[in-house]
Tab-separated table of all heavy atoms in Angstrom:
chain	number	residue	atom	x	y	z
A	2	PRO	N	-10.308	25.101	15.971
A	2	PRO	CA	-9.501	24.650	14.824
A	2	PRO	C	-8.494	23.596	15.252
A	2	PRO	O	-8.121	23.507	16.420
A	2	PRO	CB	-8.791	25.923	14.368
A	2	PRO	CG	-8.712	26.768	15.592
A	2	PRO	CD	-9.976	26.455	16.389
A	3	LYS	N	-8.078	22.818	14.284
A	3	LYS	CA	-7.055	21.803	14.551
A	3	LYS	C	-6.205	21.654	13.296
A	3	LYS	O	-6.733	21.536	12.201
A	3	LYS	CB	-7.710	20.472	14.920
A	3	LYS	CG	-6.712	19.399	15.282
A	3	LYS	CD	-7.344	18.242	16.001
A	3	LYS	CE	-7.829	17.215	15.033
A	3	LYS	NZ	-8.262	15.977	15.667
A	4	TRP	N	-4.912	21.689	13.464
A	4	TRP	CA	-3.978	21.484	12.365
A	4	TRP	C	-3.176	20.215	12.626
A	4	TRP	O	-2.838	19.911	13.767
A	4	TRP	CB	-2.973	22.636	12.259
A	4	TRP	CG	-3.528	23.908	11.749
A	4	TRP	CD1	-3.626	24.307	10.445
A	4	TRP	CD2	-4.028	25.000	12.532
A	4	TRP	NE1	-4.168	25.564	10.377
A	4	TRP	CE2	-4.433	26.015	11.644
A	4	TRP	CE3	-4.195	25.213	13.896
A	4	TRP	CZ2	-4.953	27.223	12.060
A	4	TRP	CZ3	-4.727	26.410	14.321
A	4	TRP	CH2	-5.101	27.394	13.422
A	5	THR	N	-2.859	19.517	11.551
A	5	THR	CA	-1.980	18.353	11.608
A	5	THR	C	-0.929	18.498	10.531
A	5	THR	O	-1.261	18.796	9.377
A	5	THR	CB	-2.772	17.049	11.377
A	5	THR	OG1	-3.782	16.936	12.358
A	5	THR	CG2	-1.853	15.836	11.448
A	6	VAL	N	0.312	18.297	10.883
A	6	VAL	CA	1.380	18.190	9.889
A	6	VAL	C	1.993	16.808	10.033
A	6	VAL	O	2.085	16.267	11.134
A	6	VAL	CB	2.462	19.285	10.025
A	6	VAL	CG1	1.883	20.656	9.761
A	6	VAL	CG2	3.157	19.240	11.365
A	7	THR	N	2.382	16.252	8.914
A	7	THR	CA	3.009	14.935	8.890
A	7	THR	C	4.232	15.003	8.008
A	7	THR	O	4.189	15.591	6.919
A	7	THR	CB	2.026	13.875	8.367
A	7	THR	OG1	0.876	13.854	9.210
A	7	THR	CG2	2.653	12.489	8.354
A	8	THR	N	5.296	14.408	8.463
A	8	THR	CA	6.506	14.313	7.659
A	8	THR	C	7.020	12.883	7.716
A	8	THR	O	6.769	12.162	8.679
A	8	THR	CB	7.583	15.320	8.127
A	8	THR	OG1	8.658	15.319	7.182
A	8	THR	CG2	8.101	15.001	9.501
A	36	ARG	N	7.598	8.145	10.242
A	36	ARG	CA	6.498	9.063	9.930
A	36	ARG	C	6.066	9.716	11.243
A	36	ARG	O	5.719	9.023	12.190
A	36	ARG	CB	5.327	8.325	9.299
A	36	ARG	CG	4.202	9.240	8.851
A	36	ARG	CD	3.039	8.472	8.225
A	36	ARG	NE	3.491	7.664	7.104
A	36	ARG	CZ	3.209	6.358	6.961
A	36	ARG	NH1	2.473	5.727	7.839
A	36	ARG	NH2	3.656	5.698	5.922
A	37	ILE	N	6.149	11.045	11.286
A	37	ILE	CA	5.769	11.785	12.487
A	37	ILE	C	4.618	12.719	12.145
A	37	ILE	O	4.700	13.488	11.185
A	37	ILE	CB	6.943	12.607	13.049
A	37	ILE	CG1	8.097	11.695	13.444
A	37	ILE	CG2	6.486	13.461	14.233
A	37	ILE	CD1	9.303	12.432	13.996
A	38	SER	N	3.561	12.658	12.948
A	38	SER	CA	2.450	13.596	12.837
A	38	SER	C	2.393	14.425	14.108
A	38	SER	O	2.519	13.895	15.216
A	38	SER	CB	1.123	12.859	12.659
A	38	SER	OG	1.103	12.175	11.431
A	39	ALA	N	2.205	15.730	13.931
A	39	ALA	CA	2.056	16.656	15.051
A	39	ALA	C	0.706	17.346	14.898
A	39	ALA	O	0.355	17.798	13.802
A	39	ALA	CB	3.188	17.679	15.053
A	40	ILE	N	-0.042	17.424	16.001
A	40	ILE	CA	-1.413	17.932	15.966
A	40	ILE	C	-1.571	18.994	17.051
A	40	ILE	O	-1.144	18.790	18.198
A	40	ILE	CB	-2.421	16.784	16.220
A	40	ILE	CG1	-2.198	15.664	15.214
A	40	ILE	CG2	-3.861	17.291	16.183
A	40	ILE	CD1	-2.619	14.309	15.700
A	41	THR	N	-2.211	20.109	16.691
A	41	THR	CA	-2.444	21.172	17.663
A	41	THR	C	-3.629	22.027	17.244
A	41	THR	O	-4.024	22.026	16.078
A	41	THR	CB	-1.195	22.060	17.834
A	41	THR	OG1	-1.380	22.950	18.924
A	41	THR	CG2	-0.897	22.847	16.577
A	42	SER	N	-4.158	22.770	18.189
A	42	SER	CA	-5.222	23.721	17.882
A	42	SER	C	-4.690	25.151	17.902
A	42	SER	O	-5.440	26.104	17.765
A	42	SER	CB	-6.381	23.571	18.878
A	42	SER	OG	-5.918	23.797	20.181
A	43	GLN	N	-3.390	25.295	18.088
A	43	GLN	CA	-2.772	26.617	18.133
A	43	GLN	C	-1.462	26.577	17.350
A	43	GLN	O	-0.629	25.691	17.571
A	43	GLN	CB	-2.496	26.984	19.588
A	43	GLN	CG	-1.768	28.273	19.768
A	43	GLN	CD	-1.476	28.531	21.250
A	43	GLN	OE1	-2.106	27.965	22.124
A	43	GLN	NE2	-0.506	29.372	21.504
A	44	LEU	N	-1.267	27.530	16.452
A	44	LEU	CA	-0.012	27.587	15.698
A	44	LEU	C	1.092	28.209	16.550
A	44	LEU	O	0.823	28.979	17.466
A	44	LEU	CB	-0.210	28.371	14.402
A	44	LEU	CG	-1.180	27.732	13.404
A	44	LEU	CD1	-1.318	28.606	12.157
A	44	LEU	CD2	-0.743	26.326	13.026
A	55	MET	N	3.051	27.957	12.374
A	55	MET	CA	3.204	26.531	12.067
A	55	MET	C	2.851	25.672	13.274
A	55	MET	O	2.923	26.118	14.416
A	55	MET	CB	4.620	26.227	11.585
A	55	MET	CG	5.719	26.590	12.546
A	55	MET	SD	7.392	26.332	11.908
A	55	MET	CE	7.483	27.595	10.652
A	56	VAL	N	2.487	24.435	12.978
A	56	VAL	CA	2.257	23.465	14.041
A	56	VAL	C	3.583	23.183	14.725
A	56	VAL	O	3.745	23.338	15.929
A	56	VAL	CB	1.643	22.161	13.468
A	56	VAL	CG1	1.580	21.080	14.541
A	56	VAL	CG2	0.272	22.425	12.885
A	57	ALA	N	4.536	22.737	13.941
A	57	ALA	CA	5.894	22.461	14.397
A	57	ALA	C	6.785	22.536	13.165
A	57	ALA	O	6.356	22.193	12.065
A	57	ALA	CB	5.989	21.081	15.027
A	59	PHE	N	9.241	21.469	10.472
A	59	PHE	CA	9.635	20.167	9.933
A	59	PHE	C	11.084	19.839	10.291
A	59	PHE	O	11.423	18.679	10.519
A	59	PHE	CB	9.430	20.097	8.420
A	59	PHE	CG	7.992	20.005	8.019
A	59	PHE	CD1	7.401	20.995	7.250
A	59	PHE	CD2	7.202	18.926	8.391
A	59	PHE	CE1	6.071	20.912	6.870
A	59	PHE	CE2	5.870	18.825	8.027
A	59	PHE	CZ	5.304	19.829	7.260
A	62	LEU	N	11.033	18.273	13.634
A	62	LEU	CA	10.445	16.927	13.607
A	62	LEU	C	11.397	15.899	12.994
A	62	LEU	O	11.327	14.718	13.328
A	62	LEU	CB	9.129	16.942	12.834
A	62	LEU	CG	8.001	17.784	13.436
A	62	LEU	CD1	6.790	17.780	12.504
A	62	LEU	CD2	7.624	17.315	14.822
A	110	ILE	N	1.184	20.247	21.868
A	110	ILE	CA	1.259	19.519	20.593
A	110	ILE	C	1.224	18.025	20.877
A	110	ILE	O	2.007	17.505	21.668
A	110	ILE	CB	2.529	19.889	19.807
A	110	ILE	CG1	2.454	21.345	19.361
A	110	ILE	CG2	2.706	18.965	18.600
A	110	ILE	CD1	3.678	21.823	18.620
A	111	LYS	N	0.313	17.343	20.228
A	111	LYS	CA	0.231	15.883	20.331
A	111	LYS	C	1.040	15.288	19.192
A	111	LYS	O	0.999	15.775	18.073
A	111	LYS	CB	-1.221	15.427	20.253
A	111	LYS	CG	-2.054	15.936	21.410
A	111	LYS	CD	-3.235	15.048	21.637
A	111	LYS	CE	-4.059	15.505	22.800
A	111	LYS	NZ	-3.491	15.243	24.083
A	112	LEU	N	1.741	14.208	19.491
A	112	LEU	CA	2.589	13.547	18.497
A	112	LEU	C	2.155	12.110	18.287
A	112	LEU	O	1.651	11.462	19.203
A	112	LEU	CB	4.044	13.493	18.968
A	112	LEU	CG	4.908	14.717	18.866
A	112	LEU	CD1	6.310	14.393	19.359
A	112	LEU	CD2	4.953	15.254	17.467
A	113	LYS	N	2.407	11.643	17.083
A	113	LYS	CA	2.291	10.221	16.766
A	113	LYS	C	3.524	9.883	15.934
A	113	LYS	O	3.827	10.575	14.962
A	113	LYS	CB	1.026	9.942	15.964
A	113	LYS	CG	0.816	8.474	15.669
A	113	LYS	CD	-0.380	8.232	14.761
A	113	LYS	CE	-1.664	8.586	15.455
A	113	LYS	NZ	-2.851	8.184	14.685
Side-chain angles (χ1 to χ4, degrees):
K3 183 164 89 171
W4 288 272
T5 301
V6 296
T7 301
T8 189
R36 185 180 303 129
I37 299 179
S38 294
I40 304 153
T41 189
S42 59
Q43 176 183 340
L44 296 179
M55 58 184 69
V56 172
F59 287 118
L62 296 176
I110 293 178
K111 296 204 179 286
L112 282 182
K113 183 185 293 188

